[in-house]
Amino acid sequence: MDAFTTRCSGLRIPRPSIPNATVELQRVHLHTGVSAYIPESIYVNHGPVNVTDVSYCVVSISYTHTHRIEVVNTEVWLPTDDMWNGRMMGLGGGGFYCGLFFENKRAMLGAVGEGYAAVSTDCGRRLREDNADWLLDRPGKVNLHRLEDFASVTLNDAAVIRKSVVESFYGRKPDHSYFSGCSQGGRQGMMLAQRYPDAYDGIVASAPAINWAEILVAGYWTQFTMNQLDSYPRYCELDYITNMAIESCDDLDGVHDGIVSDVDACDIDALAMVGADVPCGEETVPLSTSAAIVANAAWRGPTTKDGVNLSAGVSVVSNLTNDFSSQCSPNGICSGLPVIYSSDWIRLAIEKDARFDLKTMTLDMYVKIFNESVEEYKSIIGTDNPDLSKFSQRGGKILSFHGLVDPMIPSTNTRRYYEAVTEMDPTVQSYYRVFEAPGLGHCWSQSGLYPSTIFDDLVAWVEKGQAPPSLLASFTDATGVKHDRVICPYPERAIYNGHGFPCSLDRLVLQQRPDL
């Protein structure tokens, strides 16, 4: 029996000491000869990884916090000594799951395949537990302990656990510790930087679900608009509107390639398209007024009856049929298809009633629900504190990308947060940079500019002091041709200047490039 196999034993790895918690169970498993292909769509913030014949030790910790009954599970995956690169990687979750679901574990395998020790946690949320059982103690009462664990507490617990386990297993501390996440995982990364600045040296927090209490209610706005109209546009109508917006604004960055880089300059009113012929399956239908109203509502975001914006809308080139559209039967009858995260949050966290009928909402009720969500939960899971001074002072670095066509979390939210940090600290670019990715959807999509090197760029920044002036990315156009581009740090943007796409604050298109 070799030394690694011997060390991969529950008897050899002491139980970690977790603040205000008791370890109930510690299990250790040895995995040998594991091979798998991990695509970048799973291993977000990274490129694809071919894991080949790797062995690693999995340490599973189950614990409870003092005076609570919820069991939290955290796992640390430890590669062999000859494969370990001396670094640690925490991996975040997605949706209403904190971590340790199937895709997350595949991402952990990708990390191990690259030589990292990896850690993730379920935050006390059981994998097959529905949202009602997770959020509600009973009708009328939210389980705030569980929400606090999910929002922040267990994220720091996982950092404490991995420090203890790694040092016990390898006999030394990791040289550097990093966190990688997108969406919910991006929010987790920002929460760690804001509340637990000593947990990680570097964080990639992409498409972060900050302003949680706002974006979940805002995510129901388009569906609410359909309900108010009692009209549910077909997919083909909303897709047509999006395609027309892309076509109208494609040239704003100086090149016609199917990707809109200068979204801010894209000024579109869907009502101007009403009556246009829309290909819809084997027939052509006129674009309806209701489809135009729904598109405009999605772009603007939720508003009061006086027209005051409550939250940002999606960009005019976002895919409106991705998450909040309608289902249509062959006879053309359409019905609403709400975003499950938003509808469940309103029912469970705000109304505290799993049977609440969302279609009964009036505009006054919607605004009231929006405000109640912010008032009740911003302090718990808002994750939008712009004070990153403690994280920056200890030398921490943050990189973040956000797709400009993200249909789930408007990229404007990340931009506004970054601007708030900048207002507090004009030196923000010395430790935190945000990159707006043209054409990219939520976290990863086949189209658009996906920065697969962002995590490696973070490592170079932390360990070598090499701040990335831009991120490399590429996309394949409709003709199958691959194009290499850069993504610029906000507020810069890449505009074709007759020779290439340099990052610049200048919005002027110096020279139009012929169609690709």
Side-chain angles (χ1 to χ4, degrees):
M1 183 179 295
D2 62 35
F4 181 83
T5 302
T6 301
R7 295 206 322 272
C8 188
S9 164
L11 299 176
R12 297 298 183 98
I13 303 174
R15 292 188 174 192
S17 177
I18 307 168
N20 303 310
T22 301
V23 175
E24 304 292 345
L25 180 64
Q26 176 169 299
R27 293 154 293 180
V28 180
H29 305 282
L30 178 66
H31 296 256
T32 60
V34 178
S35 298
Y37 175 75
I38 312 299
E40 60 191 13
S41 59
I42 296 294
Y43 195 28
V44 177
N45 298 326
H46 309 257
V49 178
N50 264 316
V51 178
T52 305
D53 194 27
V54 301
S55 297
Y56 55 96
C57 183
V58 174
V59 180
S60 302
I61 308 291
S62 299
Y63 64 96
T64 57
H65 288 112
T66 305
H67 307 307
R68 301 188 191 180
I69 63 173
E70 293 81 15
V71 177
V72 181
N73 298 291
T74 299
E75 292 186 7
V76 184
W77 294 20
L78 305 155
T80 55
D81 298 84
D82 61 334
M83 190 169 184
W84 187 42
N85 60 19
R87 303 182 181 106
M88 187 77 212
M89 187 191 304
L91 290 105
F96 278 174
Y97 289 102
C98 183
L100 293 185
F101 51 94
F102 176 71
E103 290 83 358
N104 177 272
K105 289 192 175 185
R106 291 186 68 193
M108 292 179 74
L109 180 57
V112 169
E114 292 193 302
Y116 290 85
V119 65
S120 192
T121 177
D122 68 3
C123 298
R125 169 76 193 269
R126 294 191 300 272
L127 188 58
R128 293 179 177 81
E129 186 176 39
D130 68 30
N131 291 333
D133 289 337
W134 169 57
L135 270 177
L136 293 180
D137 270 341
R138 60 179 184 274
K141 187 177 187 302
V142 170
N143 189 323
L144 293 179
H145 289 318
R146 281 191 159 193
L147 190 59
E148 288 169 349
D149 280 349
F150 179 83
S152 60
V153 175
T154 57
L155 305 177
N156 186 56
D157 292 345
V160 171
I161 290 170
R162 56 93 176 159
K163 289 178 182 178
S164 174
V165 171
V166 167
E167 188 169 0
S168 297
F169 189 80
Y170 293 112
R172 69 179 181 90
K173 297 178 180 179
D175 299 323
H176 293 93
S177 295
Y178 300 95
F179 186 88
S180 178
C182 191
S183 191
Q184 176 62 247
R187 186 204 65 80
Q188 292 168 333
M190 295 311 301
M191 177 64 81
L192 285 161
Q194 293 167 23
R195 294 197 187 179
Y196 308 105
D198 294 325
Y200 292 93
D201 302 311
I203 294 169
V204 178
S206 301
I210 56 176
N211 307 112
W212 177 274
E214 296 177 22
I215 63 173
L216 286 188
V217 181
Y220 191 75
W221 175 250
T222 310
Q223 184 65 43
F224 171 78
T225 302
M226 295 181 190
N227 293 345
Q228 294 296 100
L229 293 170
D230 194 24
S231 179
Y232 304 89
R234 300 183 182 189
Y235 276 42
C236 55
E237 293 183 90
L238 296 179
D239 284 342
Y240 175 86
I241 292 173
T242 302
N243 291 336
M244 290 300 99
I246 293 173
E247 182 64 26
S248 298
C249 300
D250 194 350
D251 292 332
L252 295 176
D253 58 2
V255 59
H256 194 87
D257 55 8
I259 289 181
V260 179
S261 297
D262 197 354
V263 173
D264 295 340
C266 188
D267 186 13
I268 298 292
D269 182 358
L271 287 171
M273 306 180 198
V274 171
D277 292 336
V278 179
C280 197
E282 297 181 355
E283 62 178 335
T284 299
V285 300
L287 185 72
S288 65
T289 300
S290 62
I293 292 173
V294 167
N296 280 346
W299 297 340
R300 181 172 182 181
T303 59
T304 67
K305 63 182 179 181
D306 297 323
V308 177
N309 256 101
L310 297 172
S311 187
V314 299
S315 77
V316 296
V317 290
S318 292
N319 182 355
L320 297 179
T321 59
N322 184 283
D323 289 285
F324 42 71
S325 184
S326 54
Q327 291 177 314
C328 296
S329 61
N331 64 8
I333 298 175
C334 302
S335 59
L337 181 65
V339 183
I340 189 66
Y341 304 121
S342 295
S343 57
D344 273 7
W345 180 259
I346 293 171
R347 287 191 182 103
L348 304 174
I350 312 305
E351 294 301 315
K352 304 173 180 63
D353 179 3
R355 297 183 178 182
F356 176 71
D357 185 356
L358 294 163
K359 286 192 174 183
T360 64
M361 272 197 293
T362 63
L363 180 56
D364 286 341
M365 290 173 64
Y366 178 91
V367 173
K368 181 173 181 289
I369 286 170
F370 183 95
N371 291 331
E372 287 178 351
S373 181
V374 175
E375 290 168 4
E376 290 185 47
Y377 300 108
K378 181 181 177 67
S379 63
I380 297 175
I381 198 171
T383 323
D384 58 353
N385 181 359
D387 185 0
L388 298 176
S389 58
K390 291 183 179 179
F391 185 75
S392 66
Q393 288 165 8
R394 56 92 64 187
K397 310 294 184 187
I398 307 172
L399 291 180
S400 177
F401 74 79
H402 205 135
L404 284 174
V405 301
D406 192 329
M408 297 186 68
I409 303 174
S411 59
T412 304
N413 284 329
T414 297
R415 178 188 291 190
R416 288 176 178 172
Y417 174 75
Y418 180 80
E419 289 172 343
V421 178
T422 303
E423 185 176 353
M424 181 172 286
D425 181 6
T427 70
V428 60
Q429 288 231 348
S430 65
Y431 58 89
Y432 174 34
R433 298 188 178 195
V434 168
F435 297 81
E436 296 183 336
L440 188 70
H442 186 60
C443 289
W444 182 89
S445 58
Q446 290 183 325
S447 61
L449 299 178
Y450 169 69
S452 62
T453 66
I454 188 170
F455 187 85
D456 292 335
D457 290 328
L458 174 74
V459 172
W461 195 9
V462 170
E463 298 182 15
K464 300 178 181 179
Q466 298 173 353
S470 60
L471 300 180
L472 297 177
S474 63
F475 77 100
T476 302
D477 65 25
T479 66
V481 177
K482 182 179 179 181
H483 304 275
D484 295 323
R485 296 282 176 83
V486 297
I487 306 174
C488 304
Y490 178 78
E492 296 180 35
R493 68 187 70 244
I495 301 292
Y496 185 67
N497 66 358
H499 306 286
F501 292 84
C503 292
S504 174
L505 291 172
D506 189 358
R507 300 179 68 98
L508 178 64
V509 179
L510 300 180
Q511 179 176 335
Q512 291 290 318
R513 184 176 179 179
D515 290 1
L516 295 179

